[in-house]
Every structure is written in C-alpha cells, then in structure tokens.
Amino acid sequence: MTARFHALEKSRDEYPVNLVLIEQAGTSEAFVVGHSRLALVQGQTDKSCFLESVVIRKRLRGKGLGRILMEKTEQFAEKEGFKVIYLTTHDKEEFYAHLGYEKSQPVVSFGTDIIPEHLVKQLTGNLNTEEQLASTIKHTCADTVKNGNPPVSHGPTTPKAPCSGPIPSSVPRPPVPAPPPPPPPVVSKLQTSDISRFDPACIVWMKKRLQA
C-alpha cells in the first residue's frame, strides 16, 4: 500500500484520479481500506475509462471489500459520464467475470501526465539527426579544401623516434602486476523456484458497459 499512498499524494481533479475506500468515515477511527485509480481511454467511440489498479489492504482481504470497492468505483465512473470501463488482470479473471466484465481487445490509456505535442516539437526541433550531422561535416571539410584553409593545429607535437632492434638485456623490464583477487561469492537466499518470468500473453483485457 506504500506505493498507493505515494500515488494518492499526487491525486488531483484531472485524470488520472485516485479513489479510496474508507472504513468508519467521518470518525476519529477512520482508516483507508482500499484504493483504486482511473485513467482516460483514448480513441473510443463511447466515453471510456481504464481501471489502472484496485487493491485492498492485505489483512482485510477475503471479506468482500474488493467487490464493494469495485461497485463504488463504477458508481463514480458513471457519475463522471463514462459508458465503458476497462481493466487488465492476470489471475482475477473469474472475479471480474462475476462482476459483469467480459474479455475485450486492448485499448490505449494514458495514466500519467501527457506532454503536449507542440512542446514535444519545440523540444526536439533543434536536434540534428545522424545524417544531418554527417552532411554538415562533409560540406565543412569540402569548403576547407576548396578555400585552401590550413587545418587547425592543436599545438606542437614531438615526433616519436622509430623503434628498431630488440630491447637491450641490460635494460630492466617492469614487473608484471599481479592479477586482481577473485570477487567474493554472492550469497543469495533466492531459489530458482522463487523467480518467475513475466509473460505479457498472460494479461487479459476486460470491459464492462456502465450505461446503456
């Protein structure tokens, strides 16, 4: 829940928005039971939203609070004028199916602040591609040769004497440095069974129509 609370600190009136389920609201003993987050969906005919996350405190799970949080989140989305709500899951497909969700195609959603297109162009307008940079260097070199400009000197250089013949035996050779010691063995408590590879194919997209 720590990451969820960090997201709540950045909540605002614009989307994405964070919603909380509070136990004993309005009393001195009120506390957060769960959290959900809604973002906008792009490119759909019906006004749609995407349920980015929904979570209940671990010690309070299995008491039906997840269903209550989902119902309250859907009620909020309906009041906001959304007609369809989307979500993704990899292990709770049966739970969402009981709530009226069905499999769907993926949609595009922006869960973070979007940089306006005109600002992107302004930021990238002065950047040169590799082809432009190579062309600039080529034309600069051609103009230098054509105008007869001397090459730029970076100071006097001392020519190196050519090396001929073997090194005299009287000249002491520098000692060969000792190889570095091997690194200490890594001690890990993780076992192979503790690690599993994430497979995007396991993600299931689902949707529910909120309004007729």
Side-chain angles (χ1 to χ4, degrees):
M1 290 289 289
T2 302
R4 312 294 178 178
F5 283 124
H6 178 69
L8 290 177
E9 294 176 354
K10 298 184 178 181
S11 185
R12 55 184 184 176
D13 294 335
E14 296 83 7
Y15 283 85
V17 296
N18 298 282
L19 308 174
V20 291
L21 181 64
I22 301 177
E23 183 75 15
Q24 299 181 11
T27 68
S28 58
E29 300 179 355
F31 63 95
V32 176
V33 172
H35 161 267
S36 63
R37 181 178 170 93
L38 288 174
L40 297 177
V41 170
Q42 310 294 326
Q44 298 297 308
T45 304
D46 296 325
K47 185 178 180 181
S48 307
C49 61
F50 175 65
L51 182 58
E52 286 189 350
S53 65
V54 55
V55 63
I56 297 293
R57 284 186 182 272
K58 190 172 183 179
R59 61 183 177 86
L60 298 175
R61 295 174 186 174
K63 299 181 179 181
L65 295 174
R67 178 183 293 270
I68 295 176
L69 178 56
M70 287 295 299
E71 291 175 353
K72 296 297 183 182
T73 301
E74 292 172 4
Q75 290 173 11
F76 174 85
E78 270 192 278
K79 291 180 180 179
E80 290 287 298
F82 292 106
K83 295 184 178 181
V84 183
I85 182 170
Y86 291 85
L87 58 81
T88 57
T89 182
H90 68 281
D91 60 350
K92 300 296 182 182
E93 182 178 348
E94 185 177 352
F95 168 75
Y96 292 117
H98 281 111
L99 297 179
Y101 287 81
E102 60 183 6
K103 289 185 179 180
S104 71
Q105 295 297 321
V107 295
V108 178
S109 172
F110 295 102
T112 56
D113 295 335
I114 306 171
I115 301 179
E117 184 177 357
H118 72 278
L119 182 57
V120 175
K121 292 182 178 180
Q122 181 179 348
L123 293 174
T124 60
N126 295 327
L127 297 179
N128 293 325
T129 62
E130 293 183 2
E131 292 79 5
Q132 292 173 330
L133 184 59
S135 177
T136 303
I137 295 175
K138 180 178 180 180
H139 288 297
T140 303
C141 294
D143 292 340
T144 300
V145 175
K146 180 179 179 180
N147 298 330
N149 296 328
V152 178
S153 174
H154 297 283
T157 58
T158 303
K160 297 182 179 180
C163 180
S164 59
I167 300 176
S169 58
S170 59
V171 179
R173 297 178 179 273
V176 179
V186 178
V187 179
S188 176
K189 297 181 179 179
L190 292 177
Q191 302 296 327
T192 305
S193 59
D194 297 327
I195 302 176
S196 59
R197 181 176 181 179
F198 173 74
D199 186 0
C202 296
I203 295 297
V204 178
W205 282 82
M206 307 187 75
K207 71 175 181 179
K208 180 180 180 179
R209 181 163 292 277
L210 301 176
Q211 299 177 354

